[in-house]
Amino acid sequence: MRIGYPCINRSIGCTPSSTFRLASYSPERLKATVEKNLTCLRNILRFNREAGLLFFRISSDMVPFASHPVCTFPWQERFGKTLSEIGLFIRKNRFRISMHPDQFVLLNSPREDVIERSIDELRYHAEFLDLMGLDTTAKIQLHVGGIYNDKSASLERFVTRYDLLDDSIRRRLVIENDEKLYSVTDCLGLYERTGIAVLLDTFHHSLNNTGEHIPDLLAPVRKSWKEKDGIPMVDYSSQQAGKRAGAHAGHINKEDFLSFLAETGTADFDVMLEIKDKEASAKTALVLARDDPRLVVRPGDPG
DNA sequence: GGCAGTCAAGTACGC
DNA sequence: GCGTACTTGACTGCC
């Protein structure tokens, strides 16, 4: 078990997801922004190594407009060397890496233009991980998509689309249950049909389920991750008091996290804390888990 | 320098 | 039908 947090770090004073408006696109601007983002990513990874936080989600904004027609700058060539250096650092320190394209990426849309843009965006994500030289345990996590007034037809479209994807994308793609439309059970059904691994989001599951308890889902979810995929990734969060159902907590709820560790027993996975204060809660989680035999690195271990 | 309005992209939902 | 929430920050133009 590794513990981590997504995309940004709130204490080291840089952001790895600087961007700019489409209207102000220029190759120079792109180059400068990617340079800045990569430098920050490096700093975050160093910070994480020292903190013992070995699971990290890389922001989709590393290369702004990467999949947009406006972007003709050969960022792959320009930054290939830097990316492979970062990848080496990642492999050397046994980090686990994920990426999570945002809500515009939909494989089951009935609209062909949406599908095309989505595949372009997935190609960018896969390319980014490939350039770092990461193996297929580095994943791109995606939700199943929309319902479009017909859930079974929409599931069917997902299967069809998934089968048509390039292997460079397919070998990294995993599906995550969402809080409203597609439950873990729906995702496991897609696994049965396509072989795609299922990323369990415990918080989404608490909001969208058909009565299954987390401990009962661990084995079927585990089964969907093959050896080449690595151990499962799990997203963890809890409800922010006083906000709409589904709002991510601002700080880790210690009791809730401890009971999550307890109810998952000896099942091994890497866990990502989707909590708003990012590395602060992740560090707390690491301390809370210090006696858990599943942990790869304990707090205070030399980095 | 500070502020408020706005930002590539899709979908579901409430009014 | 239209505006808004997702996730949330941070870019941008204006004062």
Side-chain angles (χ1 to χ4, degrees):
Chain A
M1 172 183 284
R2 302 174 185 81
I3 291 177
Y5 61 97
C7 300
I8 59 173
N9 177 299
R10 297 196 183 280
S11 51
I12 66 175
C14 70
T15 172
S17 56
S18 294
T19 184
F20 48 84
R21 301 290 162 86
L22 180 57
S24 49
Y25 177 91
S26 74
E28 295 74 31
R29 185 78 190 261
L30 182 81
K31 188 171 144 260
T33 304
V34 176
E35 238 153 45
K36 202 161 84 173
N37 287 341
L38 287 172
T39 301
C40 185
L41 175 63
R42 245 196 250 258
N43 291 339
I44 291 177
L45 290 171
R46 284 197 200 106
F47 173 100
N48 290 355
R49 183 185 62 175
E50 297 312 310
L53 300 170
L54 295 188
F55 187 17
F56 190 65
R57 182 184 302 160
I58 295 178
S59 164
S60 295
D61 291 333
M62 293 294 310
V63 184
F65 305 105
S67 70
H68 191 281
V70 78
C71 180
T72 51
F73 182 82
W75 61 270
Q76 299 91 332
E77 286 166 40
R78 175 62 185 76
F79 296 105
K81 186 161 170 280
T82 310
L83 284 167
S84 91
E85 285 165 10
I86 295 174
L88 191 64
F89 183 84
I90 286 170
R91 298 199 302 278
K92 217 168 111 185
N93 292 290
R94 298 205 301 149
F95 276 98
R96 187 83 184 275
I97 297 295
S98 64
M99 293 184 90
H100 193 347
D102 59 39
Q103 75 243 37
F104 311 108
V105 176
L106 295 154
L107 276 185
N108 75 344
S109 173
R111 286 174 48 189
E112 279 304 316
D113 57 326
V114 173
I115 300 278
E116 274 172 37
R117 280 196 293 274
S118 296
I119 293 176
D120 288 344
E121 183 71 357
L122 288 173
R123 191 169 290 124
Y124 149 63
H125 283 77
E127 223 173 355
F128 193 90
L129 296 170
D130 288 349
L131 284 166
M132 289 195 295
L134 303 184
D135 65 21
T136 53
T137 64
K139 293 301 184 191
I140 300 169
Q141 63 188 91
L142 201 63
H143 295 295
V144 179
I147 297 279
Y148 312 97
N149 299 316
D150 186 343
K151 192 167 180 176
S152 69
S154 298
L155 284 164
E156 205 58 40
R157 268 199 309 280
F158 183 94
V159 172
T160 311
R161 293 298 174 182
Y162 177 79
D163 286 340
L164 292 173
L165 291 174
D166 288 352
D167 186 56
S168 61
I169 294 172
R170 208 164 36 183
R171 66 197 188 129
R172 295 201 186 274
L173 207 60
V174 301
I175 37 170
E176 175 190 353
N177 58 304
D178 66 74
E179 68 184 60
K180 287 191 179 128
L181 309 178
Y182 293 97
S183 67
V184 181
T185 306
D186 293 325
C187 292
L188 287 168
L190 283 174
Y191 158 69
E192 293 296 338
R193 302 189 55 195
T194 62
I196 193 168
V198 176
L199 190 155
L200 169 64
D201 184 311
T202 61
F203 186 42
H204 290 162
H205 176 71
S206 72
L207 297 159
N208 177 21
N209 64 77
T210 39
E212 311 85 352
H213 297 292
I214 296 281
D216 302 326
L217 292 167
L218 295 171
V221 164
R222 178 74 189 81
K223 194 178 148 218
S224 71
W225 294 70
K226 307 300 180 210
E227 191 172 345
K228 64 181 171 52
D229 299 316
I231 61 173
M233 293 175 173
V234 170
D235 283 355
Y236 165 88
S237 187
S238 58
Q239 175 66 39
Q240 171 70 51
K243 292 274 185 74
R244 65 161 187 97
H248 290 249
H251 312 283
I252 188 171
N253 177 326
K254 294 183 185 179
E255 281 164 27
D256 190 84
F257 187 72
L258 284 172
S259 64
F260 163 74
L261 288 178
E263 76 175 343
T264 55
T266 56
D268 200 13
F269 47 78
D270 292 323
V271 58
M272 171 134 321
L273 273 77
E274 295 190 315
I275 311 264
K276 288 186 180 165
D277 65 0
K278 306 284 177 180
E279 76 283 359
S281 284
K283 282 161 103 170
T284 303
L286 196 60
V287 172
L288 291 172
R290 64 183 174 270
D291 295 326
D292 196 303
R294 292 172 288 186
L295 261 197
V296 172
V297 171
R298 274 152 229 297
D301 278 1

